[in-house]
Amino acid sequence: MSDEMTDTAEAGAGRRGRRGSGGAEARRAKRQSRGAGVSMPFIDRKIGVFNVLTEEGMEIIEANCDKILEEIGIEFRDDPEALQMWRDAGADVQGERVRFPKGLVRDLLKTAPAQFTQYARNPARNVEIGGNNTVFAPVYGPPFISNLDEGRRYATIEDFQNLVKLAYMAPAMHHSGGTVCEPVDVPVNKRHLDMLYAHMRLSDKPYMGSVTHPERAQDTVNLAGLMFGDDFVQNNCVTISLINANSPMTFDDTMLGALKVYARAGQATVISPFILAGAMSPVTVAGTLTQVLAEASVGMAFTQLCRPGAPVVFGTFASSISMQTGAPTFGTPEPALVLYGAAALARRLNVPFRSGGSLCASKTPDAQAAYESVQTMWPTLMAGTNFVLHSAGWLEGGLVSSYEKFVMDCDQLAMFQRFSEGIDLTENGQAMSAIEEVGPGNHYLGCAHTQANFENAFYRSPLADNASFEQWEAEGSLRIEERANKLYKRWLNEYEAPEIDLGVDEALNDYINRRKAEMPDAFA
């Protein structure tokens, strides 16, 4: 008898009386282990997108964006080279303020690819970014971690390595991500080397590069050359990196420096205005969308000045703030509308789109965290987002990477992936043979079609408890975050590093050791 049918039978028995402990827990452990480390391919959506803007609405936003670019402009701070590049392209440069003739930015964007491949060192893990595809990547940037055993504390390089391992083990995580947490026990000027090595050695999924200094971006490109070969890197995308606009309407020299390194090397960048509406953009959805479009389109166009054809993604991180306290809020309606609108504007520019994630302000992986996260992830999926950063692990407004929430979110990602497959209309999916066999008044449990399909017919969560109250109580009355605590530890225990060419690994370590020896430690 299958696990599924055993569970059904035992659930019925549990309703008639309290069962002994161990049964459902053992089967759950089996399910948890069965899927770990088996990667699902990136999502090839079989469902449509949801639009909140009419054609007229998008034209209004675009016209307002043109007005911003022509009359107000965007500042490029502390980067004379960038200003000269815009001057040579025909923009009006006054000091650090750049104004753009109508049509210039859109003309430059014509060379940006609508879709591109990011290559992984394991070709089976390559991802397609753009089109009908969706790629899930982990949380990015928190200086703290949390788990039920230790609570909240500063992150270390061991935590970073653990989260890379969890992303590798999670079936519906298509990408290794970037700064999955900020390891504060490693010098600031050297930690990017350890973080990059963790992605390159502990996983064979695609990964993100460093953007905190142009030299660190160059280290990313150089290390990629050692792993993939310099010629391959110059002609193919092997890393993708997050470039944030300093909203409102400003790019700083740090982000511009990293952007130039990556774009000139043919590597992908995600140009993302980082907006807390009400503080860094207007309080209205339309006003925020207009500013997002202006900032993102100019940043993307600049990548094409660096190298026509460089892969680039229209990104946005837009949330709202409490107008009473100033604190960021998540899972509310207005940022979802911004997300839907920005996705539609990206499609009109014919470039890939990034937004969304499992975002929340909660301090623990509780009901608030779950509600707020799903209120962001559903719009993310339904908007047709191509690259989803912060898909798993985010807590406390992005200050914390949570071990338990990471695996809880990954469970949800697998459900989103199943939903995105749409409705199976093959002969098997139509199930006419089952309907004909069973007929009126009978049940489907024993029919041939059910027997042939029961293992994969429905998504089975490795975390959710569907047993009777008595059985749940007998097995310890565990809340989902407690089950998640067990799951992430099981994944780490079962983790095995993917194989790597020993010569490549030696070359990576030689480069890292040499670079570290060239500079003194700096913690600021």
Side-chain angles (χ1 to χ4, degrees), residues 124-379:
R125 313 280 202 184
N126 294 349
V127 294
E128 289 288 324
I129 298 176
N132 289 323
N133 307 311
T134 295
V135 174
F136 291 140
V139 62
Y140 185 108
F144 300 98
I145 66 94
S146 72
N147 58 52
L148 296 185
D149 305 288
E150 301 170 282
R152 181 185 190 266
R153 60 168 172 78
Y154 278 107
T156 67
I157 191 62
E158 183 179 4
D159 294 309
F160 189 97
Q161 293 162 349
N162 283 342
L163 289 166
V164 170
K165 292 175 183 178
L166 291 177
Y168 175 73
M169 293 292 283
M173 188 63 73
H174 315 117
H175 206 278
S176 194
T179 308
V180 291
C181 65
E182 191 74 42
V184 300
D185 59 333
V186 183
V188 170
N189 59 332
K190 299 179 181 181
R191 66 180 60 154
H192 68 288
L193 297 166
D194 294 310
M195 293 191 288
L196 287 165
Y197 182 71
H199 284 300
M200 300 170 86
R201 179 64 190 92
L202 301 179
S203 178
D204 59 5
K205 295 182 180 182
Y207 61 93
M208 301 180 73
S210 177
V211 297
T212 52
H213 193 282
E215 288 184 1
R216 297 165 196 168
Q218 190 60 56
D219 282 334
T220 303
V221 174
N222 294 346
L223 285 167
L226 293 174
M227 189 162 74
F228 291 94
D230 289 331
D231 289 342
F232 189 86
V233 171
Q234 282 299 317
N235 293 287
N236 298 278
C237 173
V238 300
T239 187
I240 186 169
S241 301
L242 179 63
I243 304 296
N244 283 127
N246 190 358
S247 303
M249 297 177 290
T250 302
F251 285 90
D252 62 44
D253 59 325
T254 298
M255 290 288 101
L256 290 171
L259 182 157
K260 288 186 285 188
V261 169
Y262 286 123
R264 287 167 175 165
Q267 300 308 300
T269 51
V270 182
I271 311 299
S272 283
F274 183 93
I275 286 176
L276 298 177
M280 300 152 74
S281 76
V283 295
T284 64
V285 170
T288 296
L289 276 173
T290 301
Q291 184 180 310
V292 163
L293 179 59
E295 293 175 359
S297 60
V298 165
M300 290 189 292
F302 186 66
T303 68
Q304 303 307 294
L305 286 182
C306 295
R307 177 170 167 170
V312 66
V313 177
F314 181 140
T316 181
F317 181 96
S319 188
S320 53
I321 63 170
S322 166
M323 300 308 293
Q324 288 70 46
T325 67
T329 58
F330 300 93
T332 52
E334 295 81 10
L337 292 169
V338 171
L339 195 161
Y340 280 123
L345 293 166
R347 285 192 291 272
R348 285 165 72 86
L349 290 173
N350 200 30
V351 291
F353 179 66
R354 170 258 161 163
S355 193
S358 298
L359 310 180
C360 66
S362 182
K363 315 309 178 285
T364 63
D366 58 7
Q368 179 186 341
Y371 279 125
E372 291 178 350
S373 293
V374 80
Q375 287 284 8
T376 307
M377 279 303 300
W378 268 119

Side-chain angles (χ1 to χ4, degrees), residues 63 110 130 274 278 396 470:
K110 290 177 181 177
F274 183 93
E396 200 181 325
E470 291 81 6

